[in-house]
Amino acid sequence: MLFLFLLASIPISLADLRYHKIPNIYLALLAIALTPVLVMNGFGPIQRLFISAASLAVLHLCGMGMGDVKLLALIVVYLNISTDLSLVELFGYLLSIAALHIVAIGLKNRKLAKSIPLAPSIFLALALYLATS
C-alpha cells in the first residue's frame, strides 16, 4: 500500500510544483485505490477522524489550499486504521518540512514566498513519519 503512495506522489507533486494546484483526478484515483483497504479494515477510531477534520478545517481557513487539505484527509483516513497513529508527530513533520521548503525558496528567490506547493512536503512528511513509526 505504501508503494501506492509513492506512485501517487510523483504526478501529484509535479502538478503542484508546476501549477500550484492538485488535480482532483489524482485525488480521486488515490481514493479509489485506498477504498479496498478501508473496506477491509474500517476507518479506525472516529474521535481521531473528527480531530483531523477539525484540524484540516482550521488549516484551510488559515490559507491552505483545498487540494492539500483533501490529500491530507486521504492520508489521515488511511493512517487512522493503525492504533498507534500520532497526528501531532505527523503534522510536526509536515510543518518542519514545509518551513524548510519556505526557507529554501526564500534563499533561492531572495524574497519570502507567498505560497508554496505543499504536496512534496506532505509526501516527504509522510515518508519520514512512516520511517520513524
Side-chain angles (χ1 to χ4, degrees), residues 7-128:
L7 284 178
S9 70
I10 296 167
I12 290 173
S13 295
L14 289 175
D16 200 20
L17 284 168
R18 184 165 183 178
Y19 303 111
H20 285 264
K21 292 188 185 285
I22 300 175
N24 283 334
I25 188 69
Y26 295 145
L27 296 173
L29 291 173
L30 183 59
I32 290 168
L34 292 176
T35 300
V37 174
L38 295 174
V39 168
M40 297 299 289
N41 297 318
F43 286 97
I46 197 76
Q47 299 90 342
R48 282 195 297 212
L49 289 178
F50 283 133
I51 291 169
S52 301
S55 300
L56 291 173
V58 168
L59 288 172
H60 179 62
L61 291 175
C62 290
M64 181 185 280
M66 198 60 206
D68 297 321
V69 171
K70 290 185 275 188
L71 177 60
L72 273 173
L74 284 172
I75 290 170
V76 168
V77 166
Y78 171 72
L79 292 178
N80 196 47
I81 295 169
S82 173
T83 58
D84 60 346
L85 172 66
S86 173
L87 293 174
V88 174
E89 188 177 349
L90 177 63
F91 286 123
Y93 289 143
L94 176 59
L95 291 175
S96 300
I97 292 172
L100 288 173
H101 193 182
I102 290 172
V103 169
I105 290 174
L107 290 174
K108 178 184 172 200
N109 297 337
R110 303 277 184 197
K111 63 179 181 177
L112 191 59
K114 293 181 182 178
S115 67
I116 64 167
L118 201 55
S121 299
I122 292 171
F123 284 115
L124 285 174
L126 176 64
L128 186 59

